[in-house]
Amino acid sequence: MIETDVLIVGCGPAGLTAAIGLAREGVRVIAITKYAQLAPTARAHCTNQRSFEIFRDFGIEPQAMASATPYTEMPNFTYLRSLSSDVEFARLRGLQLDDEDNLNASPCTIADLPQNLLEPILLTAATQQGAQVRFQTELTTFDQNETGVTAVVRDLLTGQDLTIRARYLIGADGGNSSVAKALELPFDGPGRLGGSLSIHFDCDLSEYTAYRPSHIFYILRSSTDRGGPGLGLLICFRPWNTWQFIKGYTAGQETPHLTTTEAVDVIRDYLGIPEIEPKVTSIGKWDLNSLCASLYQRGRVFCMGDAVHRHVPSNGLGSNCAMQDAYNLAWKLALVLRDHAGAGLLESYSQERVPVGQQYVARATKSMQLHRPLLEAIGLADPNRPEGDGDLARIAANSTDGAARRRGIQETMHAKIHEVRARGLELNHLYQSVAVIDEGQQPKDTGRDLELYARATTCPGAHLPHAWVQRSGHEVSTLDLVGQGRFTLLTGIGGDEWIGAAKAVAERFVLDIAAVKIGPGCEVTDLHHEWAERREIAENGCLLVRPDAHIAWRRMSTDTDPEGALTDAVARILDRQA
Ligand SMILES: Cc1cc2nc3c(=O)[nH]c(=O)nc-3n(C[C@H](O)[C@H](O)[C@H](O)COP(=O)(O)OP(=O)(O)OC[C@H]3O[C@@H](n4cnc5c(N)ncnc54)[C@H](O)[C@@H]3O)c2cc1C
């Protein structure tokens, strides 16, 4: 029997992120995948600021950025009849990378990082940290008791079964998760909405695309087109040569199995360019789902990623959410395995991540449902629509009908901003759990749409606001002061008692707590005064920041008994005796 601390089933974005987060804390990790290789095609690609912050904490942000395409090269989303046609209905600007909100929200930027380029970076980091990764190894059964989990895995090369005894098991085994099934996790949502066909291909389309640089070209089809009204998505991975074409099918339709010749035919038809010679690199089918589990843990077994939240690709949330689940759980498991925290801390994983999963599933489903109103406003779903340039003529008509169509398009595109610029959705999570002591504190109302705009607050449960500060003369983010698998106490001028308390509490609990004072003459300075604007606490107050950069506890100013207050807070958060 092989023994380990954590067995991770799955080497997608969730499993590999968990492997890095655990292995770097010295936890013994075995990660298995039933396949002989990592994701062979792009799949997920929009990689958001929170995910890049995780890469930054892991020290792999430079590698990730080097493999990514910046969205400045393909900033728009374009809605048109075909690539060859001049008829364009709308353009939507994506996230404005240089706008002030974006720059203030994070030291990192979003970028397009296809899954087949990301996973090798994660795998390298995981193995460098000491995780053992086994390909062609499939979980067949598992059973748990009070002390651990016994799993039987099959080596698909030899057909031999191996027994692995782990203290914990993570099911990061994707949308058909056998772990979630075996745990009988409760799922909510309508389930399968339909199917989807993906064709990856290489072709120089610069003549049709470079002058209107877009990340996604939405090709709108009419009632008289082959296949009827609907949408085809042309997604650019490398301007303007590497592409993915996606076509969705409703639950009642069967997603076809295409040969390469048929796939080329579909691409030519949708793009409206019969003479192109696309080189098809892969054809795949996958399900469009709308489902989220309301519990991610049973006993010593946890699930994450697509295993527990399954949604359509709109908003590009799938792999981001998967990695962020893993980052949330890894530090907690590491502390519990080292006896630095009680098992009660692990309950916070479901409490914190289920609401995020539910919010993402709801948002992605809603975004996808906006396609139909757009087709209707233009008139493409109308069986009696005019041929040729008639669609444009109807939209351009100086008539009540024309005005209604123009208004309909404008309103739909306005709603679609929530699909392409939902920075707040990605950044504003406010955790409420046993690992956060909020004492009824709530963030101030910003008066802004919290799905669209990031909110900087130090309210317990929130993510630490980013501010540029200086350490040894170098510009760093406040996020660079925290993380690295440890707790951090942040204070300012007048906060010496908090620094002393952090040292005492660290010794008492045998815990790594970094203590950082920010202000003039301190080890970290705030020359731009960005931290002063965002910290909300007084200079002599303090923030206790968790290893995942979420704020666990705060004191607005000094306390009569700083050591006692901090001791109580840490004991509560870590499920330990004060
Ligand atoms: C064809 C396709 C296209 C997609 N396109 C997009 C997109 O455009 N945008 C987007 O945001 N998302 C897209 N997704 C979804 C995105 O890829 C997922 O959200 C993301 O991969 C989730 O990561 P994960 O780690 O949870 O699971 P996965 O990446 O699915 O990884 C699952 C892992 O579990 C392993 N596994 C499963 N069962 C077992 C077992 N019994 N034993 C051992 N190992 C097992 C697999 O080998 C794999 O390593 C797409 C998915 C697919 C399949």
Side-chain angles (χ1 to χ4, degrees):
M1 174 146 56
I2 300 163
E3 289 194 5
T4 191
D5 291 327
V6 182
L7 172 63
I8 301 173
V9 184
C11 292
L16 291 172
T17 303
I20 301 170
L22 288 163
R24 77 166 177 172
E25 296 307 314
V27 173
R28 293 176 304 156
V29 175
I30 298 176
I32 60 169
T33 166
K34 62 184 177 184
Y35 298 123
Q37 58 181 156
L38 298 175
T41 56
R43 301 185 188 178
H45 46 99
C46 303
T47 308
N48 67 33
Q49 287 168 297
R50 278 287 175 266
S51 297
F52 273 102
E53 286 171 10
I54 295 173
F55 304 155
R56 191 176 175 101
D57 185 36
F58 287 165
I60 55 172
E61 189 192 12
Q63 295 92 309
M65 278 314 282
S67 293
T69 302
Y71 283 117
T72 41
E73 290 186 26
M74 39 185 194
N76 297 315
F77 295 79
T78 293
Y79 297 78
L80 71 187
R81 281 287 282 141
S82 72
L83 277 199
S84 62
S85 159
D86 290 336
V87 180
E88 255 185 63
F89 300 110
R91 281 188 203 179
L92 202 56
R93 280 193 205 94
L95 192 56
Q96 299 300 287
L97 301 180
D98 55 354
D99 81 4
E100 207 180 324
D101 281 316
N102 189 50
L103 294 174
N104 285 340
S106 172
C108 304
T109 182
I110 62 162
D112 200 73
L113 180 51
Q115 200 168 329
N116 57 330
L117 302 183
L118 167 65
E119 287 188 2
I121 297 171
L122 297 177
L123 174 71
T124 304
T127 51
Q128 279 172 347
Q129 295 288 356
Q132 295 192 36
V133 179
R134 291 184 65 116
F135 286 84
Q136 287 192 278
T137 306
E138 183 173 26
L139 175 79
T140 53
T141 59
F142 68 90
D143 198 15
Q144 61 171 314
N145 61 18
E146 299 78 49
T147 54
V149 185
T150 303
V152 178
V153 304
R154 182 157 302 151
D155 181 333
L156 299 177
L157 263 182
T158 62
Q160 272 182 338
D161 282 349
L162 301 170
T163 303
I164 300 179
R165 177 73 178 166
R167 292 180 64 191
Y168 292 94
L169 184 143
I170 294 177
D173 52 342
N176 291 317
S177 170
S178 61
V179 178
K181 227 172 274 164
L183 293 179
E184 296 183 356
L185 294 183
F187 278 85
D188 299 317
R192 188 176 182 276
L193 303 177
S196 200
L197 174 72
S198 276
I199 307 170
H200 292 260
F201 67 97
D202 295 329
C203 188
D204 179 1
L205 296 174
S206 48
E207 182 188 338
Y208 310 95
T209 53
Y211 70 95
R212 46 186 172 189
S214 302
H215 174 41
I216 303 183
F217 294 88
Y218 290 87
I219 298 169
L220 308 182
R221 303 277 281 187
S222 77
S223 52
T224 49
D225 288 328
R226 192 164 79 183
L231 246 84
L233 274 67
L234 180 68
I235 302 176
C236 183
F237 290 131
R238 282 281 183 268
W240 306 104
N241 296 298
T242 307
W243 305 90
Q244 179 185 20
F245 174 79
I246 297 183
K247 171 156 170 44
Y249 295 85
T250 59
Q253 296 171 315
E254 201 190 327
T255 312
H257 179 78
L258 298 188
T259 62
T260 303
T261 311
E262 287 165 338
V264 168
D265 186 39
V266 168
I267 294 167
R268 286 178 177 153
D269 179 34
Y270 270 75
L271 271 49
I273 320 170
E275 64 275 17
I276 53 167
E277 293 291 346
K279 182 171 166 259
V280 173
T281 50
S282 91
I283 304 168
K285 294 201 282 186
W286 41 291
D287 283 343
L288 296 170
N289 284 303
S290 182
L291 269 181
C292 188
S294 52
L295 190 69
Y296 290 2
Q297 174 198 5
R298 282 213 200 272
R300 290 177 167 268
V301 183
F302 300 83
C303 281
M304 55 178 56
D306 277 16
V308 277
H309 37 77
R310 300 161 197 170
H311 50 78
V312 298
S314 309
N315 285 74
L317 298 166
S319 125
N320 290 298
C321 194
M323 292 189 283
Q324 291 157 25
D325 287 345
Y327 191 63
N328 180 288
L329 180 63
W331 67 270
K332 296 172 182 172
L333 267 181
L335 285 181
V336 172
L337 281 162
R338 276 195 248 124
D339 289 330
H340 289 168
L345 172 65
L346 301 175
E347 286 169 25
S348 65
Y349 171 63
S350 259
Q351 292 166 352
E352 294 175 357
R353 295 306 297 175
V354 167
V356 176
Q358 289 170 334
Q359 189 189 15
Y360 281 11
V361 171
R363 179 65 254 172
T365 309
K366 202 166 156 190
S367 292
M368 189 189 74
Q369 287 164 347
L370 289 169
H371 294 152
R372 188 77 198 174
L374 182 63
L375 292 173
E376 280 167 4
I378 296 168
L380 289 169
D382 179 355
N384 302 315
R385 57 176 280 280
E387 285 296 332
D389 286 343
D391 299 312
L392 190 59
R394 285 205 292 186
I395 294 167
N398 184 13
S399 64
T400 313
D401 178 71
R405 289 186 190 283
R406 290 191 291 277
R407 205 169 40 249
I409 295 171
Q410 190 186 350
E411 281 169 6
T412 310
M413 296 319 289
H414 184 72
K416 279 183 90 59
I417 289 173
H418 288 257
E419 181 178 348
V420 302
R421 274 188 249 154
R423 186 187 306 113
L425 175 84
E426 296 162 357
L427 304 181
N428 290 339
H429 308 138
L430 190 69
Y431 291 155
Q432 289 184 306
S433 75
V434 293
V436 170
I437 304 173
D438 65 21
E439 292 166 340
Q441 300 172 72
Q442 285 296 320
K444 284 191 212 113
D445 184 5
T446 59
R448 303 181 88 186
D449 185 326
L450 289 179
E451 262 201 357
L452 292 184
Y453 298 102
R455 165 187 61 192
T457 175
T458 59
C459 202
H463 189 271
L464 179 71
H466 153 66
W468 290 115
V469 290
Q470 301 73 40
R471 185 170 53 191
S472 310
H474 295 278
E475 203 92 335
V476 296
S477 167
T478 41
L479 294 172
D480 298 324
L481 308 177
V482 305
Q484 304 294 312
R486 61 187 185 185
F487 277 81
T488 306
L489 181 131
L490 296 179
T491 186
I493 304 281
D496 288 340
E497 284 187 320
W498 289 120
I499 300 280
K503 285 198 180 107
V505 172
E507 269 171 35
R508 181 187 183 125
F509 288 107
V510 198
L511 195 67
D512 195 1
I513 304 180
V516 181
K517 210 164 107 178
I518 305 175
C522 301
E523 57 175 306
V524 177
T525 52
D526 181 24
L527 299 177
H528 303 297
H529 301 101
E530 289 181 1
W531 178 238
E533 276 170 26
R534 293 171 206 165
R535 67 172 188 247
E536 295 177 334
I537 54 171
E539 284 183 288
N540 60 2
C542 78
L543 301 176
L544 181 65
V545 186
R546 309 187 324 186
D548 61 357
H550 277 262
I551 295 155
W553 179 77
R554 78 173 170 183
R555 273 287 178 267
M556 299 306 285
S557 61
T558 192
D559 194 283
T560 48
D561 177 13
E563 190 179 323
L566 188 60
T567 301
D568 288 346
V570 170
R572 241 176 97 182
I573 291 157
L574 296 185
D575 185 27
R576 290 182 61 172
Q577 294 293 327

mmCIF file with all atom_site columns, all heavy atoms in Angstrom, residues 64-82:
data_model
loop_
_atom_site.group_PDB
_atom_site.id
_atom_site.type_symbol
_atom_site.label_atom_id
_atom_site.label_alt_id
_atom_site.label_comp_id
_atom_site.label_asym_id
_atom_site.label_entity_id
_atom_site.label_seq_id
_atom_site.pdbx_PDB_ins_code
_atom_site.Cartn_x
_atom_site.Cartn_y
_atom_site.Cartn_z
_atom_site.occupancy
_atom_site.B_iso_or_equiv
_atom_site.pdbx_formal_charge
_atom_site.auth_seq_id
_atom_site.auth_comp_id
_atom_site.auth_asym_id
_atom_site.auth_atom_id
_atom_site.pdbx_PDB_model_num
ATOM 1   N N   . ALA A 1 64 ? 3.637   32.360 -17.102 1.00 0.00 ? 64 ALA A N   1
ATOM 2   C CA  . ALA A 1 64 ? 2.250   32.403 -17.573 1.00 0.00 ? 64 ALA A CA  1
ATOM 3   C C   . ALA A 1 64 ? 2.060   33.574 -18.540 1.00 0.00 ? 64 ALA A C   1
ATOM 4   O O   . ALA A 1 64 ? 1.447   33.425 -19.601 1.00 0.00 ? 64 ALA A O   1
ATOM 5   C CB  . ALA A 1 64 ? 1.297   32.524 -16.382 1.00 0.00 ? 64 ALA A CB  1
ATOM 6   N N   . MET A 1 65 ? 2.615   34.734 -18.195 1.00 0.00 ? 65 MET A N   1
ATOM 7   C CA  . MET A 1 65 ? 2.466   35.898 -19.084 1.00 0.00 ? 65 MET A CA  1
ATOM 8   C C   . MET A 1 65 ? 3.174   35.663 -20.414 1.00 0.00 ? 65 MET A C   1
ATOM 9   O O   . MET A 1 65 ? 2.692   36.077 -21.467 1.00 0.00 ? 65 MET A O   1
ATOM 10  C CB  . MET A 1 65 ? 3.032   37.165 -18.416 1.00 0.00 ? 65 MET A CB  1
ATOM 11  C CG  . MET A 1 65 ? 2.091   37.849 -17.448 1.00 0.00 ? 65 MET A CG  1
ATOM 12  S SD  . MET A 1 65 ? 0.399   38.067 -18.026 1.00 0.00 ? 65 MET A SD  1
ATOM 13  C CE  . MET A 1 65 ? 0.542   39.452 -19.126 1.00 0.00 ? 65 MET A CE  1
ATOM 14  N N   . ALA A 1 66 ? 4.323   34.973 -20.355 1.00 0.00 ? 66 ALA A N   1
ATOM 15  C CA  . ALA A 1 66 ? 5.086   34.742 -21.586 1.00 0.00 ? 66 ALA A CA  1
ATOM 16  C C   . ALA A 1 66 ? 4.318   33.841 -22.557 1.00 0.00 ? 66 ALA A C   1
ATOM 17  O O   . ALA A 1 66 ? 4.490   33.939 -23.771 1.00 0.00 ? 66 ALA A O   1
ATOM 18  C CB  . ALA A 1 66 ? 6.434   34.111 -21.245 1.00 0.00 ? 66 ALA A CB  1
ATOM 19  N N   . SER A 1 67 ? 3.450   32.980 -22.034 1.00 0.00 ? 67 SER A N   1
ATOM 20  C CA  . SER A 1 67 ? 2.687   32.079 -22.906 1.00 0.00 ? 67 SER A CA  1
ATOM 21  C C   . SER A 1 67 ? 1.340   32.672 -23.310 1.00 0.00 ? 67 SER A C   1
ATOM 22  O O   . SER A 1 67 ? 0.614   32.069 -24.093 1.00 0.00 ? 67 SER A O   1
ATOM 23  C CB  . SER A 1 67 ? 2.429   30.746 -22.187 1.00 0.00 ? 67 SER A CB  1
ATOM 24  O OG  . SER A 1 67 ? 3.636   30.069 -22.001 1.00 0.00 ? 67 SER A OG  1
ATOM 25  N N   . ALA A 1 68 ? 0.983   33.807 -22.725 1.00 0.00 ? 68 ALA A N   1
ATOM 26  C CA  . ALA A 1 68 ? -0.353  34.374 -22.956 1.00 0.00 ? 68 ALA A CA  1
ATOM 27  C C   . ALA A 1 68 ? -0.323  35.431 -24.060 1.00 0.00 ? 68 ALA A C   1
ATOM 28  O O   . ALA A 1 68 ? 0.724   35.982 -24.385 1.00 0.00 ? 68 ALA A O   1
ATOM 29  C CB  . ALA A 1 68 ? -0.859  35.006 -21.659 1.00 0.00 ? 68 ALA A CB  1
ATOM 30  N N   . THR A 1 69 ? -1.505  35.691 -24.620 1.00 0.00 ? 69 THR A N   1
ATOM 31  C CA  . THR A 1 69 ? -1.652  36.804 -25.563 1.00 0.00 ? 69 THR A CA  1
ATOM 32  C C   . THR A 1 69 ? -2.368  37.936 -24.837 1.00 0.00 ? 69 THR A C   1
ATOM 33  O O   . THR A 1 69 ? -3.450  37.719 -24.285 1.00 0.00 ? 69 THR A O   1
ATOM 34  C CB  . THR A 1 69 ? -2.505  36.386 -26.783 1.00 0.00 ? 69 THR A CB  1
ATOM 35  O OG1 . THR A 1 69 ? -1.868  35.276 -27.405 1.00 0.00 ? 69 THR A OG1 1
ATOM 36  C CG2 . THR A 1 69 ? -2.644  37.522 -27.781 1.00 0.00 ? 69 THR A CG2 1
ATOM 37  N N   . PRO A 1 70 ? -1.784  39.139 -24.799 1.00 0.00 ? 70 PRO A N   1
ATOM 38  C CA  . PRO A 1 70 ? -2.465  40.241 -24.111 1.00 0.00 ? 70 PRO A CA  1
ATOM 39  C C   . PRO A 1 70 ? -3.730  40.643 -24.871 1.00 0.00 ? 70 PRO A C   1
ATOM 40  O O   . PRO A 1 70 ? -3.751  40.618 -26.105 1.00 0.00 ? 70 PRO A O   1
ATOM 41  C CB  . PRO A 1 70 ? -1.450  41.383 -24.143 1.00 0.00 ? 70 PRO A CB  1
ATOM 42  C CG  . PRO A 1 70 ? -0.234  40.869 -24.809 1.00 0.00 ? 70 PRO A CG  1
ATOM 43  C CD  . PRO A 1 70 ? -0.516  39.534 -25.395 1.00 0.00 ? 70 PRO A CD  1
ATOM 44  N N   . TYR A 1 71 ? -4.759  41.016 -24.123 1.00 0.00 ? 71 TYR A N   1
ATOM 45  C CA  . TYR A 1 71 ? -6.010  41.399 -24.795 1.00 0.00 ? 71 TYR A CA  1
ATOM 46  C C   . TYR A 1 71 ? -5.905  42.748 -25.505 1.00 0.00 ? 71 TYR A C   1
ATOM 47  O O   . TYR A 1 71 ? -6.789  43.104 -26.277 1.00 0.00 ? 71 TYR A O   1
ATOM 48  C CB  . TYR A 1 71 ? -7.178  41.388 -23.804 1.00 0.00 ? 71 TYR A CB  1
ATOM 49  C CG  . TYR A 1 71 ? -7.645  39.977 -23.524 1.00 0.00 ? 71 TYR A CG  1
ATOM 50  C CD1 . TYR A 1 71 ? -7.561  39.431 -22.260 1.00 0.00 ? 71 TYR A CD1 1
ATOM 51  C CD2 . TYR A 1 71 ? -8.138  39.186 -24.553 1.00 0.00 ? 71 TYR A CD2 1
ATOM 52  C CE1 . TYR A 1 71 ? -7.964  38.128 -22.011 1.00 0.00 ? 71 TYR A CE1 1
ATOM 53  C CE2 . TYR A 1 71 ? -8.538  37.877 -24.320 1.00 0.00 ? 71 TYR A CE2 1
ATOM 54  C CZ  . TYR A 1 71 ? -8.451  37.358 -23.047 1.00 0.00 ? 71 TYR A CZ  1
ATOM 55  O OH  . TYR A 1 71 ? -8.845  36.062 -22.826 1.00 0.00 ? 71 TYR A OH  1
ATOM 56  N N   . THR A 1 72 ? -4.826  43.471 -25.269 1.00 0.00 ? 72 THR A N   1
ATOM 57  C CA  . THR A 1 72 ? -4.640  44.710 -26.040 1.00 0.00 ? 72 THR A CA  1
ATOM 58  C C   . THR A 1 72 ? -4.495  44.380 -27.526 1.00 0.00 ? 72 THR A C   1
ATOM 59  O O   . THR A 1 72 ? -4.783  45.204 -28.378 1.00 0.00 ? 72 THR A O   1
ATOM 60  C CB  . THR A 1 72 ? -3.370  45.448 -25.573 1.00 0.00 ? 72 THR A CB  1
ATOM 61  O OG1 . THR A 1 72 ? -2.355  44.479 -25.341 1.00 0.00 ? 72 THR A OG1 1
ATOM 62  C CG2 . THR A 1 72 ? -3.613  46.249 -24.320 1.00 0.00 ? 72 THR A CG2 1
ATOM 63  N N   . GLU A 1 73 ? -4.059  43.148 -27.838 1.00 0.00 ? 73 GLU A N   1
ATOM 64  C CA  . GLU A 1 73 ? -3.902  42.767 -29.246 1.00 0.00 ? 73 GLU A CA  1
ATOM 65  C C   . GLU A 1 73 ? -5.229  42.371 -29.887 1.00 0.00 ? 73 GLU A C   1
ATOM 66  O O   . GLU A 1 73 ? -5.335  42.292 -31.108 1.00 0.00 ? 73 GLU A O   1
ATOM 67  C CB  . GLU A 1 73 ? -2.919  41.588 -29.372 1.00 0.00 ? 73 GLU A CB  1
ATOM 68  C CG  . GLU A 1 73 ? -1.499  41.984 -29.061 1.00 0.00 ? 73 GLU A CG  1
ATOM 69  C CD  . GLU A 1 73 ? -0.524  40.860 -29.334 1.00 0.00 ? 73 GLU A CD  1
ATOM 70  O OE1 . GLU A 1 73 ? -0.817  39.989 -30.176 1.00 0.00 ? 73 GLU A OE1 1
ATOM 71  O OE2 . GLU A 1 73 ? 0.525   40.848 -28.673 1.00 0.00 ? 73 GLU A OE2 1
ATOM 72  N N   . MET A 1 74 ? -6.223  42.035 -29.059 1.00 0.00 ? 74 MET A N   1
ATOM 73  C CA  . MET A 1 74 ? -7.529  41.613 -29.605 1.00 0.00 ? 74 MET A CA  1
ATOM 74  C C   . MET A 1 74 ? -8.616  42.053 -28.617 1.00 0.00 ? 74 MET A C   1
ATOM 75  O O   . MET A 1 74 ? -9.235  41.226 -27.959 1.00 0.00 ? 74 MET A O   1
ATOM 76  C CB  . MET A 1 74 ? -7.556  40.102 -29.876 1.00 0.00 ? 74 MET A CB  1
ATOM 77  C CG  . MET A 1 74 ? -6.857  39.252 -28.841 1.00 0.00 ? 74 MET A CG  1
ATOM 78  S SD  . MET A 1 74 ? -6.825  37.521 -29.362 1.00 0.00 ? 74 MET A SD  1
ATOM 79  C CE  . MET A 1 74 ? -6.348  36.743 -27.828 1.00 0.00 ? 74 MET A CE  1
ATOM 80  N N   . PRO A 1 75 ? -8.831  43.381 -28.510 1.00 0.00 ? 75 PRO A N   1
ATOM 81  C CA  . PRO A 1 75 ? -9.647  43.917 -27.417 1.00 0.00 ? 75 PRO A CA  1
ATOM 82  C C   . PRO A 1 75 ? -11.161 43.786 -27.573 1.00 0.00 ? 75 PRO A C   1
ATOM 83  O O   . PRO A 1 75 ? -11.875 43.917 -26.589 1.00 0.00 ? 75 PRO A O   1
ATOM 84  C CB  . PRO A 1 75 ? -9.262  45.405 -27.401 1.00 0.00 ? 75 PRO A CB  1
ATOM 85  C CG  . PRO A 1 75 ? -8.812  45.700 -28.790 1.00 0.00 ? 75 PRO A CG  1
ATOM 86  C CD  . PRO A 1 75 ? -8.222  44.442 -29.330 1.00 0.00 ? 75 PRO A CD  1
ATOM 87  N N   . ASN A 1 76 ? -11.659 43.526 -28.787 1.00 0.00 ? 76 ASN A N   1
ATOM 88  C CA  . ASN A 1 76 ? -13.108 43.654 -29.013 1.00 0.00 ? 76 ASN A CA  1
ATOM 89  C C   . ASN A 1 76 ? -13.835 42.322 -29.100 1.00 0.00 ? 76 ASN A C   1
ATOM 90  O O   . ASN A 1 76 ? -13.229 41.266 -29.236 1.00 0.00 ? 76 ASN A O   1
ATOM 91  C CB  . ASN A 1 76 ? -13.357 44.417 -30.323 1.00 0.00 ? 76 ASN A CB  1
ATOM 92  C CG  . ASN A 1 76 ? -12.827 45.824 -30.251 1.00 0.00 ? 76 ASN A CG  1
ATOM 93  O OD1 . ASN A 1 76 ? -13.033 46.512 -29.259 1.00 0.00 ? 76 ASN A OD1 1
ATOM 94  N ND2 . ASN A 1 76 ? -12.114 46.232 -31.276 1.00 0.00 ? 76 ASN A ND2 1
ATOM 95  N N   . PHE A 1 77 ? -15.150 42.432 -29.066 1.00 0.00 ? 77 PHE A N   1
ATOM 96  C CA  . PHE A 1 77 ? -16.056 41.329 -29.368 1.00 0.00 ? 77 PHE A CA  1
ATOM 97  C C   . PHE A 1 77 ? -16.934 41.847 -30.503 1.00 0.00 ? 77 PHE A C   1
ATOM 98  O O   . PHE A 1 77 ? -17.561 42.895 -30.350 1.00 0.00 ? 77 PHE A O   1
ATOM 99  C CB  . PHE A 1 77 ? -16.902 40.975 -28.138 1.00 0.00 ? 77 PHE A CB  1
ATOM 100 C CG  . PHE A 1 77 ? -16.061 40.449 -27.004 1.00 0.00 ? 77 PHE A CG  1
ATOM 101 C CD1 . PHE A 1 77 ? -15.341 41.316 -26.196 1.00 0.00 ? 77 PHE A CD1 1
ATOM 102 C CD2 . PHE A 1 77 ? -15.973 39.093 -26.770 1.00 0.00 ? 77 PHE A CD2 1
ATOM 103 C CE1 . PHE A 1 77 ? -14.540 40.839 -25.166 1.00 0.00 ? 77 PHE A CE1 1
ATOM 104 C CE2 . PHE A 1 77 ? -15.174 38.603 -25.741 1.00 0.00 ? 77 PHE A CE2 1
ATOM 105 C CZ  . PHE A 1 77 ? -14.459 39.479 -24.941 1.00 0.00 ? 77 PHE A CZ  1
ATOM 106 N N   . THR A 1 78 ? -16.934 41.145 -31.616 1.00 0.00 ? 78 THR A N   1
ATOM 107 C CA  . THR A 1 78 ? -17.594 41.670 -32.810 1.00 0.00 ? 78 THR A CA  1
ATOM 108 C C   . THR A 1 78 ? -18.730 40.752 -33.240 1.00 0.00 ? 78 THR A C   1
ATOM 109 O O   . THR A 1 78 ? -18.569 39.530 -33.246 1.00 0.00 ? 78 THR A O   1
ATOM 110 C CB  . THR A 1 78 ? -16.543 41.828 -33.935 1.00 0.00 ? 78 THR A CB  1
ATOM 111 O OG1 . THR A 1 78 ? -15.643 42.853 -33.528 1.00 0.00 ? 78 THR A OG1 1
ATOM 112 C CG2 . THR A 1 78 ? -17.171 42.216 -35.255 1.00 0.00 ? 78 THR A CG2 1
ATOM 113 N N   . TYR A 1 79 ? -19.871 41.361 -33.576 1.00 0.00 ? 79 TYR A N   1
ATOM 114 C CA  . TYR A 1 79 ? -21.080 40.612 -33.943 1.00 0.00 ? 79 TYR A CA  1
ATOM 115 C C   . TYR A 1 79 ? -21.361 40.874 -35.410 1.00 0.00 ? 79 TYR A C   1
ATOM 116 O O   . TYR A 1 79 ? -21.590 42.019 -35.807 1.00 0.00 ? 79 TYR A O   1
ATOM 117 C CB  . TYR A 1 79 ? -22.263 41.070 -33.070 1.00 0.00 ? 79 TYR A CB  1
ATOM 118 C CG  . TYR A 1 79 ? -22.005 40.775 -31.614 1.00 0.00 ? 79 TYR A CG  1
ATOM 119 C CD1 . TYR A 1 79 ? -21.164 41.588 -30.865 1.00 0.00 ? 79 TYR A CD1 1
ATOM 120 C CD2 . TYR A 1 79 ? -22.557 39.654 -31.002 1.00 0.00 ? 79 TYR A CD2 1
ATOM 121 C CE1 . TYR A 1 79 ? -20.879 41.294 -29.540 1.00 0.00 ? 79 TYR A CE1 1
ATOM 122 C CE2 . TYR A 1 79 ? -22.281 39.357 -29.676 1.00 0.00 ? 79 TYR A CE2 1
ATOM 123 C CZ  . TYR A 1 79 ? -21.444 40.173 -28.955 1.00 0.00 ? 79 TYR A CZ  1
ATOM 124 O OH  . TYR A 1 79 ? -21.153 39.874 -27.649 1.00 0.00 ? 79 TYR A OH  1
ATOM 125 N N   . LEU A 1 80 ? -21.323 39.822 -36.223 1.00 0.00 ? 80 LEU A N   1
ATOM 126 C CA  . LEU A 1 80 ? -21.436 40.026 -37.660 1.00 0.00 ? 80 LEU A CA  1
ATOM 127 C C   . LEU A 1 80 ? -22.068 38.817 -38.338 1.00 0.00 ? 80 LEU A C   1
ATOM 128 O O   . LEU A 1 80 ? -22.283 37.787 -37.695 1.00 0.00 ? 80 LEU A O   1
ATOM 129 C CB  . LEU A 1 80 ? -20.068 40.364 -38.244 1.00 0.00 ? 80 LEU A CB  1
ATOM 130 C CG  . LEU A 1 80 ? -18.960 39.312 -38.340 1.00 0.00 ? 80 LEU A CG  1
ATOM 131 C CD1 . LEU A 1 80 ? -17.672 39.977 -38.786 1.00 0.00 ? 80 LEU A CD1 1
ATOM 132 C CD2 . LEU A 1 80 ? -18.708 38.540 -37.101 1.00 0.00 ? 80 LEU A CD2 1
ATOM 133 N N   . ARG A 1 81 ? -22.399 38.966 -39.629 1.00 0.00 ? 81 ARG A N   1
ATOM 134 C CA  . ARG A 1 81 ? -23.061 37.873 -40.356 1.00 0.00 ? 81 ARG A CA  1
ATOM 135 C C   . ARG A 1 81 ? -22.067 36.798 -40.767 1.00 0.00 ? 81 ARG A C   1
ATOM 136 O O   . ARG A 1 81 ? -22.367 35.618 -40.731 1.00 0.00 ? 81 ARG A O   1
ATOM 137 C CB  . ARG A 1 81 ? -23.757 38.435 -41.609 1.00 0.00 ? 81 ARG A CB  1
ATOM 138 C CG  . ARG A 1 81 ? -25.054 39.101 -41.323 1.00 0.00 ? 81 ARG A CG  1
ATOM 139 C CD  . ARG A 1 81 ? -26.161 38.103 -40.979 1.00 0.00 ? 81 ARG A CD  1
ATOM 140 N NE  . ARG A 1 81 ? -26.717 37.444 -42.152 1.00 0.00 ? 81 ARG A NE  1
ATOM 141 C CZ  . ARG A 1 81 ? -27.059 36.174 -42.213 1.00 0.00 ? 81 ARG A CZ  1
ATOM 142 N NH1 . ARG A 1 81 ? -26.876 35.394 -41.165 1.00 0.00 ? 81 ARG A NH1 1
ATOM 143 N NH2 . ARG A 1 81 ? -27.566 35.652 -43.303 1.00 0.00 ? 81 ARG A NH2 1
ATOM 144 N N   . SER A 1 82 ? -20.905 37.218 -41.231 1.00 0.00 ? 82 SER A N   1
ATOM 145 C CA  . SER A 1 82 ? -19.839 36.274 -41.573 1.00 0.00 ? 82 SER A CA  1
ATOM 146 C C   . SER A 1 82 ? -18.565 37.096 -41.678 1.00 0.00 ? 82 SER A C   1
ATOM 147 O O   . SER A 1 82 ? -18.627 38.330 -41.704 1.00 0.00 ? 82 SER A O   1
ATOM 148 C CB  . SER A 1 82 ? -20.132 35.573 -42.902 1.00 0.00 ? 82 SER A CB  1
ATOM 149 O OG  . SER A 1 82 ? -19.945 36.498 -43.951 1.00 0.00 ? 82 SER A OG  1
#
